[in-house]
Amino acid sequence: MFEEQLAGLKTAHALEHYKNHLEFLGYSIEEVNEFSIFCRHTRRDSLRLFLLNRGAGVLAQMMFTFPERFKNDLIPLYMYANELNSIFLFTKAFIRTFDDGTPALVLSSVLEGDYSRQNFAVFLDNIEDDMKQFNAYPKTGAIWSTQSENDVEAP
């Protein structure tokens, strides 16, 4: 009988504190797996939160797929990521490619340690500060503009 009651209990998600914090801020949360959640917001960039090994902290990651015109020449994209890294204070930018060759910009930041409401709030503010730098950077607008491929040079 005890085993039946135990089986009926729902265990809390490993990122439950972070999930509740983000929901309070207006994010909608999707549990990807036991150690990861995807967070969407109507006025902020979506992010994915990963629990680091043995509760060492969390990794926040945002991903932006580059337009098709950048698929064949990654060197300008690497240069763009390096330029972003020179202006970011809390976030690290890097380029990854998918199996089909489509490149993406990945922005990531790590918060070490156990959950703390105050530390996590500061962590999110720090990411938001870097995202303001990202959105204000002139090459960012040029890359994701809706102009035709012939009108925009690679970064």
Side-chain angles (χ1 to χ4, degrees), residues 7-76:
L9 293 176
K10 181 182 178 199
T11 58
H13 193 275
L15 293 165
E16 193 68 29
H17 293 296
Y18 301 96
K19 179 181 167 185
N20 291 339
H21 192 127
L22 290 161
E23 285 176 333
F24 178 78
L25 295 175
Y27 285 86
S28 61
I29 308 298
E30 175 186 335
E31 294 180 6
V32 178
N33 58 41
E34 185 180 353
F35 304 106
S36 175
I37 55 176
F38 188 75
C39 315
R40 289 183 178 84
H41 197 281
T42 56
R43 296 184 305 144
R44 296 180 185 171
D45 292 297
S46 296
L47 62 94
R48 188 163 175 189
L49 207 62
F50 299 89
L51 184 65
L52 298 177
N53 195 18
R54 293 183 173 80
V58 291
L59 167 72
Q61 208 170 64
M62 293 144 291
M63 189 176 304
F64 305 92
T65 305
F66 285 105
E68 189 73 21
R69 67 182 180 268
F70 297 108
K71 195 172 184 178
N72 296 323
D73 187 11
L74 298 179
I75 299 299

Side-chain angles (χ1 to χ4, degrees), residues 63 65 71 96-104:
M63 189 176 304
T65 305
K71 195 172 184 178
R96 74 161 285 191
T97 55
F98 294 100
D99 291 340
D100 67 354
T102 302

Side-chain angles (χ1 to χ4, degrees), residues 74-91:
L74 298 179
I75 299 299
L77 301 181
Y78 293 135
M79 293 170 55
Y80 171 63
N82 285 338
E83 291 169 15
L84 291 174
N85 284 326
S86 72
I87 62 172
F88 286 163
L89 297 177
F90 307 101
T91 307

